[in-house]
Amino acid sequence: MSSTSHANPRVVVIGAGIVGCSLADELTARGWTDVTVLEQGPLPAPGGSTSHAPGLVFRTNPSKTLTEFAAYTVEKFSALEADGLSCFNPVGGLELATTEERLAELRRRAGYAAAWGVPGEVVPPSRCKELWPLLDETKVLGGFHTPGDGLARAVPACRAQMARAEARGARFLERHTVTGIEREGGRVTGVVTDRGVFPADHVVSAAGFWGPVVGRMAGVDVPLLPLAHQYARTGPLPELAGASAEASRPILRFQDRDLYFREHTDRIGIGSYAHRPLPVDPFTVPAYDEAPDTPSRMPSSYPFTPEDFAPSWKDCAWLLPALAKAEVQEGFNGVFSFTPDGMPVLGESRTLRGFWLAEAVWVTHSAGVAKAVAEWMVDGRPATDVHECDLTRFEDAQRSPAYIRERGSQQFIEVYDVIHPLQPMDQPRPLRVSPFYERQKELGAYFLEGGGWERPHWYEANAPLTENMRLPERDAWSARHWSPIAAAEARATRERVALYDMTPLRRLEVTGTGALAFLQRMTTNNLAKKPGAVTYTLLLDETGGIRSDLTVARLAEDRFQVGANSRADEDWLLRHAPDDVHIRDITSGTCCIGVWGPLARDLVQPLTRDDFSHKGFGYFRAKQTYLGHVPVTAMRLSYVGELGWELYTSADLGLRLWDTLWEAGREHGVIAAGRSAFNSLRLEKGYRAWGHDMTDEHTPYEAGVGFAVRMDKGDFVGRQALEGAGEPEHRLTALLLDDPSDVVLGKEPVHVAGSPAGYVTSAAYGYTLGRCVAYAWLPPLATGTAVHVEYFGRKVAATVADEPLFDPEMSRIRR
């Protein structure tokens, strides 16, 4: 939490849309009552996205975080009233399938709903017709019905929250255009408007698609792209004659044609994502009084383009035959925000302390986001894991205007697409490549993408190794972005030796006279070891939640190399670093090859004069040496459960390192192996992946990494919370699927005694074990307990297993 000299900090919120109003309410409810909300337009409908939003709230999302945000929005708005009416109308939601692929996707979405606690069920066409009588049920294969979803009345919800916040001391000022952000000493000090300056200890940009404009004033990057989205209303329909309620039927999604529908009394509102992306430059959006001539006459509302809507209108009549005799009476192209990954942008800037972002937030998630940001500001952390939304998550290579425009536009195109969890973006690629990229292409690498990096998942050159292998048949979904070659690569790693490209894993250099004391205070394990030691440790927050896991190598008295997970780790360390500590991201200037397998020592030892024997180079040790002509930092670590080393060198020498290892490995049957095999091997060994298996919602003891906590080493961040921790109510639990032919992928609900009790975090087929391995958050269960994992609506039998599942004696690593 940012420090401030005020017991009741002065907060200025920029933007009185649904996010700004919700945030003012959440902050004042927590005792921060000196809140000023500045709005350039008139209140209560100032002309941003909130003013024209159709208000659809579907809670189910592949992201647990977004589902929780939406669930809170429903809960909060259901308890709010304006003009005697609830601010939420729980008409329910209905998502339709007109193709087999979509029907399977709805079953998967029903799995998400069960995993995240949202009531819902896949229903037959006859039930869809009951829920929406205007449907042609012969066109429908089924639907996903969520009775608790519905319509948020956004502008009334703004008014209701404004009134509550004002009663606690907040003020809302309309017609105040922000023109600058004042700062001093790296902290925000005030907001400049056309009607005066407002001193502030905290400033929150909740400006919606104007976020990049406000961000530029503060010198803070806001990676979002405003895009126009078509919304039309029909004239009165005879079939709805006599309707008195604003809406009584579920909100309807026809995702196979990128359409959604909602009632407006006796008319139908239709939203379309089926048209070409229509980007809007936020720096050219007109002021409220200069808005274009549309029915709503607001800055966020652009003129309707009938030619873009024409194909969608035919699709509407195909699904809802009553529309064939109707016409579009009015429409507009409404502007709202997309980010490169479709997630909000939240958090406090490190370069301008006290300046917060709450941007790229839809009405669906608005109250949940506001609650999280208010908790972050007041308590120092949100109760919900928000790493997917953290403003630090994008790499520098993902922050160019060209990237944001390209990826934001693609997010618009894909908003209703069936997206596989491994599906990579198509463009811009390749963006970031390791020094081994050309060699990987020569070996037929199948690349997926993460953080802009090209990451080989398997190599076609290894296809001959699959001969005589017997693997169970995969269903079409789990077979996507997978190859049996991964099994051959896993086996070669277990039996011989393989090279893994570990370059994309983040590396930080921490130096300075205070480096050891700083890292000791920030992490859980004891780092006070002689140079050459490597330590697995954790970054915790003050509540004991796991912010990240790190591998720290002490290379000299005052120099450490830290293997981290994300930009957020660097940001967190930089926020806390004293003047005598220097932190530098060295990822791009370096590279890494993992050499793993029982023959790893036979490959590496002849290349160096240093002793790479078990006695001469023990497990979790580091050496700086030469392999052939290449200077390397070698660390004896293994994320796959086999003997081996991570070998680091500078990027310019990377290709030489690869070629040196490849040539030396020929006589040992060396192969290049990809991340698909890697993930299988690490799950067999029980190694956690931060952000998937554990987040700051979990403590080390819940996540099974308590061994990395040394309570006897002195004080560290989160220690006090761990001292008071009781018995875990949930644990990260290893499961083995009973049937060797079953495969799950992650995020599926887990049923215990017939009821959903948790969810899968990571899963992969364990080729050594001959079963699929899944890790799941569940109540404490005894080994041998029978559970079921729900996969596309089918209950798959699984059993709680002891871990590690493979080589519990660690004999293969320590040889």
Side-chain angles (χ1 to χ4, degrees):
M1 179 172 62
S2 295
S3 60
T4 173
S5 58
H6 299 268
N8 187 16
R10 299 166 298 181
V11 180
V12 174
V13 179
I14 301 171
I18 192 65
V19 178
C21 292
S22 297
L23 181 58
D25 182 46
E26 296 286 339
L27 285 172
T28 55
R30 287 167 174 76
W32 280 25
T33 55
D34 189 351
V35 175
T36 301
V37 183
L38 301 175
E39 176 51 59
Q40 63 180 345
L43 294 173
S49 302
T50 301
S51 306
H52 66 67
L56 281 66
V57 178
F58 285 90
R59 289 164 295 169
T60 305
N61 192 284
S63 165
K64 178 173 175 282
T65 298
L66 289 190
T67 300
E68 290 178 1
F69 285 166
Y72 182 76
T73 300
V74 168
E75 175 189 332
K76 183 175 187 181
F77 289 3
S78 296
L80 287 176
E81 285 191 358
D83 304 324
L85 295 173
S86 172
C87 292
F88 186 77
N89 184 358
V91 293
L94 180 62
E95 303 177 53
L96 299 176
T98 60
T99 65
E100 289 293 343
E101 182 186 31
R102 181 67 61 179
L103 186 60
E105 169 71 359
L106 295 187
R107 293 193 181 104
R108 191 165 70 105
R109 289 181 63 76
Y112 293 145
W116 314 146
V118 176
E121 63 175 334
V122 176
V123 297
S126 57
R127 178 61 176 149
C128 295
K129 178 73 170 178
E130 288 175 17
L131 291 165
W132 252 83
L134 299 186
L135 275 177
D136 179 353
E137 67 180 302
T138 66
K139 305 290 176 54
V140 177
L141 301 180
F144 177 44
H145 181 219
T146 45
D149 290 339
L151 294 165
R153 300 174 63 231
V155 173
C158 284
R159 285 195 285 120
Q161 292 179 102
M162 285 170 63
R164 298 204 315 190
E166 286 174 331
R168 302 186 192 110
R171 57 179 177 163
F172 290 76
L173 303 177
E174 63 180 3
R175 300 290 189 172
H176 280 65
T177 299
V178 173
T179 59
I181 305 294
E182 291 190 335
R183 54 196 129 160
E184 184 178 338
R187 282 202 62 88
V188 71
T189 58
V191 178
V192 183
T193 75
D194 57 350
R195 298 172 69 174
V197 178
F198 294 84
D201 302 300
H202 296 272
V203 173
V204 185
S205 177
F209 59 79
W210 284 285
V213 179
V214 174
R216 181 175 291 183
M217 296 176 196
V220 174
D221 193 22
V222 182
L224 67 80
L225 177 72
L227 285 145
H229 158 60
Q230 292 203 298
Y231 193 77
R233 292 195 199 196
T234 68
L237 297 178
E239 292 82 358
L240 300 180
S244 57
E246 180 194 7
S248 58
R249 296 179 178 87
I251 46 179
L252 189 69
R253 274 177 167 169
F254 181 21
Q255 288 136 307
D256 289 325
R257 292 292 185 274
D258 297 312
L259 293 166
Y260 63 82
F261 306 86
R262 59 153 293 182
E263 295 170 296
H264 292 280
T265 314
D266 62 349
R267 303 158 192 253
I268 300 291
I270 306 160
S272 172
Y273 294 96
H275 54 86
R276 62 197 165 95
L278 299 167
V280 173
D281 183 349
F283 292 89
T284 63
V285 174
Y288 186 93
D289 298 314
E290 299 164 3
D293 187 13
T294 65
S296 58
R297 280 198 68 86
M298 290 193 175
S300 60
S301 179
Y302 278 58
F304 192 63
T305 48
E307 65 277 10
D308 288 312
F309 193 72
S312 290
W313 183 242
K314 291 179 181 177
D315 291 332
C316 294
W318 181 83
L319 183 70
L320 306 173
L323 296 185
K325 295 176 273 185
E327 61 182 23
V328 173
Q329 192 166 79
E330 60 180 346
F332 63 94
N333 290 0
V335 183
F336 63 139
S337 304
F338 283 81
T339 58
D341 61 1
M343 299 293 285
V345 181
L346 312 177
E348 183 195 22
S349 167
R350 178 178 50 80
T351 54
L352 183 57
R353 298 293 180 91
F355 183 80
W356 296 77
L357 297 181
E359 298 290 12
V361 182
W362 295 5
V363 171
T364 303
H365 311 111
S366 55
V369 163
K371 174 177 177 284
V373 173
E375 290 169 340
W376 210 339
M377 296 174 72
V378 176
D379 303 327
R381 73 182 290 273
T384 299
D385 165 49
V386 295
H387 81 273
E388 294 174 308
C389 311
D390 195 298
L391 60 84
T392 65
R393 69 187 182 273
F394 295 113
E395 303 286 338
D396 289 342
Q398 297 172 304
R399 290 178 167 268
S400 69
Y403 186 94
I404 292 165
R405 183 182 178 93
E406 197 164 350
R407 295 306 310 152
S409 296
Q410 191 64 24
Q411 286 296 326
F412 179 92
I413 292 168
E414 294 177 354
V415 72
Y416 280 167
D417 286 1
V418 177
I419 303 293
H420 192 276
L422 292 176
Q423 183 173 322
M425 63 183 188
D426 294 324
Q427 297 294 333
R429 289 181 66 192
L431 185 61
R432 306 176 79 188
V433 298
S434 79
F436 327 126
Y437 182 63
E438 292 302 322
R439 295 291 184 267
Q440 291 165 343
K441 286 197 298 182
E442 290 167 6
L443 292 169
Y446 182 86
F447 291 101
L448 298 180
E449 179 271 340
W453 288 100
E454 294 297 318
R455 302 182 179 203
H457 273 242
W458 66 83
Y459 294 86
E460 288 296 329
N462 295 325
L465 301 179
T466 63
E467 291 180 16
N468 302 320
M469 289 188 70
R470 292 186 178 180
L471 292 173
E473 286 289 320
R474 288 210 172 200
D475 65 279
W477 186 252
S478 65
R480 203 176 293 183
H481 303 297
W482 173 86
S483 168
I485 294 171
E489 292 177 359
R491 186 169 70 179
T493 307
R494 292 274 188 243
E495 295 178 354
R496 299 194 305 278
V497 61
L499 306 185
Y500 288 83
D501 181 2
M502 307 299 289
T503 300
L505 300 185
R506 184 169 302 276
R507 293 172 290 286
L508 307 176
E509 183 182 71
V510 181
T511 57
T513 55
L516 175 61
F518 169 66
L519 290 172
Q520 283 282 72
R521 180 168 56 84
M522 295 302 297
T523 73
T524 59
N525 213 330
N526 185 13
L527 306 180
K529 303 170 184 175
K530 293 179 181 178
V534 183
T535 308
Y536 177 80
T537 187
L538 307 171
L539 282 181
L540 304 183
D541 61 27
E542 294 288 355
T543 70
I546 304 170
R547 286 191 57 94
S548 189
D549 61 342
L550 309 176
T551 304
V552 180
R554 191 176 192 182
L555 301 180
E557 287 292 326
D558 297 337
R559 183 163 67 92
F560 296 80
Q561 181 171 310
V562 177
N565 284 299
S566 68
R567 286 195 65 185
D569 297 347
E570 179 189 14
D571 187 81
W572 177 256
L573 293 172
L574 285 168
R575 285 174 186 271
H576 294 85
D579 292 341
D580 59 353
V581 173
H582 307 285
I583 300 167
R584 187 168 66 99
D585 188 327
I586 59 172
T587 311
S588 297
T590 55
C591 59
C592 177
I593 300 174
V595 182
W596 290 310
L599 301 182
R601 183 176 288 117
D602 296 331
L603 189 161
V604 174
Q605 182 62 80
L607 298 173
T608 178
R609 294 182 179 179
D610 284 305
D611 184 359
F612 270 56
S613 69
H614 181 59
K615 184 177 180 181
F617 196 154
Y619 190 51
F620 265 81
R621 299 291 299 172
K623 279 187 181 182
Q624 291 175 293
T625 184
Y626 288 86
L627 295 182
H629 297 91
V630 182
V632 299
T633 299
M635 298 186 196
R636 190 164 168 206
L637 308 174
S638 176
Y639 205 49
V640 300
E642 296 292 336
L643 170 68
W645 288 265
E646 293 179 359
L647 303 173
Y648 299 88
T649 192
S650 55
D652 60 323
L653 290 165
L655 191 58
R656 184 60 178 259
L657 176 61
W658 178 281
D659 289 346
T660 299
L661 294 169
W662 188 260
E663 189 59 36
R666 283 181 185 275
E667 63 180 288
H668 305 294
V670 71
I671 66 160
R675 292 188 67 85
S676 188
F678 177 87
N679 200 43
S680 169
L681 296 168
R682 71 100 180 164
L683 280 170
E684 289 185 331
K685 194 62 183 163
Y687 293 141
R688 279 59 168 148
W690 187 87
H692 297 278
D693 301 316
M694 56 191 186
T695 68
D696 62 8
E697 291 184 353
H698 312 114
T699 70
Y701 306 121
E702 293 170 330
V705 288
F707 63 86
V709 178
R710 293 287 182 269
M711 299 295 281
D712 58 354
K713 75 159 187 171
D715 195 26
F716 57 85
V717 175
R719 178 196 169 101
Q720 192 171 351
L722 294 186
E723 285 177 336
E727 278 297 307
E729 295 182 7
H730 290 82
R731 294 182 186 274
L732 188 62
T733 304
L735 305 176
L736 270 179
L737 272 56
D738 293 355
D739 189 330
S741 65
D742 284 330
V743 176
V744 299
L745 299 182
K747 298 190 178 182
E748 296 89 358
V750 181
H751 298 257
V752 178
S755 299
Y759 59 91
V760 174
T761 57
S762 295
Y765 202 85
Y767 302 110
T768 318
L769 302 172
R771 300 279 177 84
C772 184
V773 180
Y775 272 79
W777 281 103
L778 292 168
L781 297 172
T783 299
T785 301
V787 302
H788 287 88
V789 181
E790 184 180 331
Y791 183 69
F792 287 93
R794 184 171 65 92
K795 300 288 177 58
V796 176
T799 303
V800 174
D802 275 331
E803 57 171 333
L805 301 167
F806 176 78
D807 187 27
E809 300 83 18
M810 300 283 284
S811 60
R812 298 177 70 90
I813 290 177
R814 300 178 184 274
R815 56 172 149 189

